[in-house]
Amino acid sequence: SSNNQNITNTGSQLSFHDINYKVNIEKSLCKKTEVKQILYEITGIFKPGMNAIMGPSGSGKSTLLKILAGRVNRESVEGCVLVDGMNQPSNFRCMAGFVAQDGTVVGTLTVRENLMFSANLRLPKSFSGKEKNKKVDEIIYELGLTLCADSRIGANWLRGISGGERKRTNIGMELVISPKVLFLDEPTTGLDSSTAFAVMSLLNKISKNGRTIIFSIHQPRYKIFKLFDGILLLGAGRTIYHGPANKTLQYFNSIGYVCDEHENPSNFFLDIVNGDSTAIQALFNRNGNKNGSSNANDPSKPLVLTLAENFSNSPYGKKMKQEASKVYESYYSRKTNGSRMKHPDILYATSFLTQFRYVSQRTIQNIIRNPSAMLLQVTIMFFFGLFVGILFFQLGHNFKGAIQNRTGALFFITLNQIFSNLSSVGLFALERKIFIHESVGGFYRISAYFFSKYLCDLVPMRIVPLIFFSVTVYYMIGFQLEIYKFLLFFLILGVSTTSGATIGFAVSSSLESYSSAHLCLLTIFVCMEVFGGFLLNLTTMSEWLSWLQYLSLIRYTLKVGIHLLCVCVRMCVRVCVCVFA
């Protein structure tokens, strides 16, 4: 009971005033942009409790939710969002939790490890290791995850926990910071009705302790609907109803829409908002429902506009606007008087080095528990090394075809090291959703994520396979056996591999599609091969194309290798001249 008293009334009041949102849509054929408005003059208040944003597909639910959570570029949003009567801090995401519709947990880690990852990065330095463990244990118990706490989440190739347990784990990742406001985008998507009710009941329990829970939801069952405290019903980006959930049916009765006794209110609301659709009109006409989509005032006006006007002019709408205007007037008066009108900005809870440490630790765990990619890379490099070694086996020091054979071997080796980095496109492409969610949520700096992923991929996926390849190739071909020359050979290939992987990482982070990134990187490497100086004489190339040679990694690698080869050949010639002179 003492714990409940400590967190009671910790939720924030979120008010939003005259929210308009437009996006630019590019037409692919004529390459012109068209401005489309998603939200129209949305005003309202969400208080501590269960607050649902409902509406049909395309009504703007998720867009409004992201605007309230501070996850949309503010420059494209008109209006203002106030938290407890003050402006949102610039990084409101650090004090609010956001649970995305898709899973944002790493499948190779256990439930406890994912929660600890969030705790280690988002709880302040004042929390000791024991306190973090205690916090995670409390969340596991509160969410009913005790039995699966040490089970892996699961992935496409790995069997794991159920969908409901995964969803609760996502919620737990945000509850670690005890957020005043918790946002959820379609929390029941992909769950059966029983599991969905269990998840929503859990959220209802959390809201009773004073939390402000705001979520978008499409078509909940009646038992879930009864858990709601407030509802914002949207239709085509406009407010159809906003107020207490237990008065929603009363309001629609007042404007002539009566819900059948055994009908789900959620389905009833969607039928009303979708009244302009052909399917709904046919259904109403067939059943002789007088509450159909007909608009007696102006048949040419879309029904959704009439519904929005009805609510705006109704006592329910006027009461809501009056309450919202009081919050804004109080804010404006304090702003005019020069009072503090903004929450203090919340910086990252941990330092760059701490973030680098835990992201690196998670990446290494992921590689260890899914070693197939690394083993495949090592195996391929080893067998390709055997192939090149057999092809150019023990060239020796005779001068018959020495230059051609050695340059050919160097070209094959260089080509292998560059094209082996095609696997680097998966580094960021496969974790894009997790990265976006965690970086926006204040888990870590972008730089900490990049450097940790870069180094943790470079060593096991590039350097380790290169060791097997270099040892196999170098001694099978019969290059000079001095250890410092082998180390120089390894260093050159290592720099070439690192450079190729860096280009792969850049392409991977720039393109959303894995296939597009793979094709783009392949094109870049092929161009590097053409302008590398082995297949085409660069001195005879047209001037307008010759500059491309300076962008080829293969050219630089071959230039260093052939330069060293020529030095070695000249030394051998001088030794022979001195001996036979």
Side-chain angles (χ1 to χ4, degrees):
S1 59
S2 60
N3 292 335
N4 292 338
Q5 291 175 359
N6 291 336
I7 61 176
T8 301
N9 299 324
T10 56
S12 294
Q13 176 179 274
L14 204 70
S15 61
F16 40 101
H17 310 269
D18 299 326
I19 298 296
N20 290 281
Y21 183 67
K22 301 177 182 178
V23 294
N24 295 324
I25 300 177
E26 182 177 343
K27 294 183 177 180
S28 57
L29 296 179
C30 56
K31 295 185 178 180
K32 292 183 179 180
T33 57
E34 176 183 87
V35 178
K36 181 180 180 181
Q37 188 159 352
I38 306 298
L39 298 175
Y40 299 82
E41 302 291 333
I42 304 297
T43 298
I45 297 179
F46 284 138
K47 300 178 181 180
M50 293 279 284
N51 301 278
I53 303 176
M54 292 180 58
S57 300
S59 60
K61 303 188 298 297
S62 296
T63 300
L64 178 60
L65 187 77
K66 292 177 181 178
I67 290 174
L68 299 181
R71 296 190 170 224
V72 173
N73 186 2
R74 298 188 181 188
E75 296 179 358
S76 57
V77 179
E78 298 178 7
C80 69
V81 179
L82 304 179
V83 182
D84 293 327
M86 294 185 286
N87 278 331
Q88 285 180 324
S90 58
N91 51 349
F92 177 64
R93 62 185 184 272
C94 293
M95 62 180 291
F98 188 93
V99 180
Q101 181 176 351
D102 299 325
T104 52
V105 287
V106 178
T108 54
L109 302 186
T110 65
V111 172
R112 188 184 304 277
E113 288 170 342
N114 275 289
L115 296 179
M116 280 302 303
F117 177 79
S118 179
N120 287 327
L121 292 180
R122 304 175 76 186
L123 291 179
K125 298 178 182 178
S126 57
F127 276 74
S128 64
K130 291 183 178 179
E131 290 174 329
K132 291 177 182 178
N133 286 322
K134 183 180 179 181
K135 179 77 174 179
V136 169
D137 289 338
E138 290 175 352
I139 292 174
I140 289 174
Y141 177 76
E142 184 179 6
L143 297 180
L145 296 171
T146 305
L147 297 178
C148 64
D150 297 312
S151 301
R152 297 184 189 181
I153 300 297
N156 293 334
W157 51 271
L158 176 66
R159 186 174 181 178
I161 60 179
S162 66
E165 291 168 337
R166 181 190 290 265
K167 185 71 71 174
R168 281 179 278 165
T169 303
N170 277 279
I171 296 172
M173 294 278 285
E174 304 303 321
L175 292 181
V176 164
I177 60 173
S178 300
K180 292 185 176 182
V181 184
L182 178 62
F183 298 92
L184 302 100
D185 188 12
E186 299 284 357
T188 59
T189 299
L191 304 178
D192 59 77
S193 59
S194 178
T195 305
F197 177 70
V199 170
M200 299 306 294
S201 298
L202 172 65
L203 292 174
N204 182 58
K205 176 184 175 183
I206 296 172
S207 70
K208 298 304 180 185
N209 291 330
R211 305 287 183 195
T212 303
I213 312 292
I214 304 173
F215 52 91
S216 62
I217 194 165
H218 182 66
Q219 202 169 0
R221 56 186 287 198
Y222 181 58
K223 289 184 69 176
I224 294 177
F225 177 80
K226 291 196 298 182
L227 300 175
F228 301 165
D229 295 308
I231 285 182
L232 172 58
L233 181 62
L234 294 177
R238 295 170 173 84
T239 303
I240 305 301
Y241 173 81
H242 181 34
N246 56 9
K247 294 184 179 181
T248 312
L249 292 175
Q250 180 180 341
Y251 163 72
F252 280 105
N253 287 341
S254 68
I255 62 173
Y257 291 89
V258 180
C259 180
D260 292 338
E261 182 178 357
H262 300 290
E263 186 175 3
N264 183 357
S266 302
N267 299 338
F268 174 67
F269 301 147
L270 292 183
D271 287 345
I272 294 174
V273 177
N274 282 328
D276 282 323
S277 70
T278 305
I280 297 298
Q281 286 184 358
L283 177 64
F284 281 132
N285 293 336
R286 186 184 308 117
N287 295 336
N289 194 331
K290 295 180 180 181
N291 300 325
S293 60
S294 61
N295 189 345
N297 297 326
D298 185 2
S300 63
K301 183 187 295 185
L303 176 63
V304 69
L305 296 182
T306 302
L307 293 173
E309 291 176 0
N310 287 342
F311 176 72
S312 180
N313 298 326
S314 69
Y316 298 89
K318 292 178 180 179
K319 181 179 180 181
M320 182 273 297
K321 288 185 177 181
Q322 184 178 7
E323 188 176 357
S325 63
K326 287 182 180 180
V327 176
Y328 186 79
E329 289 172 3
S330 175
Y331 157 78
Y332 187 78
S333 63
R334 284 183 287 144
K335 181 179 180 180
T336 305
N337 297 332
S339 303
R340 182 172 71 90
M341 295 310 303
K342 185 179 179 181
H343 290 275
D345 287 339
I346 302 174
L347 303 177
Y348 290 101
T350 52
S351 64
F352 171 85
L353 292 178
T354 301
Q355 295 169 4
F356 178 83
R357 170 192 171 188
Y358 287 111
V359 176
S360 300
Q361 178 180 316
R362 184 178 71 173
T363 304
I364 294 172
Q365 283 181 314
N366 194 26
I367 293 174
I368 292 175
R369 293 178 182 178
N370 182 25
S372 57
M374 177 182 172
L375 293 177
L376 182 62
Q377 187 83 352
V378 171
T379 303
I380 291 175
M381 293 289 285
F382 175 72
F383 279 103
F384 194 82
L386 285 177
F387 173 75
V388 176
I390 293 172
L391 194 64
F392 299 95
F393 185 72
Q394 295 298 318
L395 292 178
H397 300 288
N398 59 329
F399 292 97
K400 185 178 181 180
I403 297 296
Q404 180 182 1
N405 289 338
R406 282 169 172 77
T407 53
L410 291 176
F411 177 73
F412 264 96
I413 292 170
T414 304
L415 210 62
N416 172 72
Q417 290 309 118
I418 297 297
F419 278 87
S420 66
N421 292 300
L422 287 173
S423 61
S424 63
V425 296
L427 182 65
F428 296 114
L430 299 178
E431 289 190 8
R432 180 177 293 272
K433 290 182 180 179
I434 294 177
F435 163 72
I436 292 176
H437 172 76
E438 292 179 344
S439 62
V440 173
F443 280 70
Y444 41 68
R445 298 166 176 84
I446 296 178
S447 56
Y449 177 86
F450 174 79
F451 285 114
S452 61
K453 294 292 290 184
Y454 182 84
L455 292 178
C456 290
D457 180 86
L458 193 64
V459 174
M461 298 296 293
R462 316 294 159 202
I463 303 302
V464 172
L466 178 60
I467 294 174
F468 287 88
F469 176 80
S470 300
V471 172
T472 305
V473 164
Y474 194 87
Y475 293 103
M476 286 188 69
I477 292 178
F479 289 138
Q480 298 181 44
L481 299 180
E482 288 84 349
I483 186 64
Y484 75 91
K485 292 183 179 179
F486 169 77
L487 294 177
L488 184 61
F489 172 84
F490 181 80
L491 177 62
I492 295 171
L493 291 186
V495 173
S496 177
T497 299
T498 303
S499 302
T502 303
I503 295 175
F505 298 154
V507 172
S508 175
S509 59
S510 302
L511 300 176
E512 294 185 11
S513 172
Y514 176 84
S515 57
S516 299
H518 190 275
L519 181 61
C520 180
L521 185 60
L522 181 61
T523 304
I524 292 173
F525 287 165
V526 169
C527 292
M528 287 184 177
E529 178 186 359
V530 172
F531 295 97
F534 187 85
L535 301 177
L536 182 65
N537 192 325
L538 300 177
T539 59
T540 63
M541 191 183 304
S542 302
E543 292 185 1
W544 66 278
L545 279 176
S546 60
W547 63 273
L548 290 172
Q549 63 181 294
Y550 300 107
L551 302 179
S552 175
L553 293 178
I554 295 178
R555 172 182 174 271
Y556 291 112
T557 306
L558 283 176
K559 195 171 183 180
V560 173
I562 293 175
H563 176 71
L564 292 176
L565 176 62
C566 291
V567 170
C568 294
V569 170
R570 284 198 297 268
M571 289 178 62
C572 292
V573 171
R574 289 175 183 175
V575 170
C576 292
V577 170
C578 292
V579 171
F580 295 104

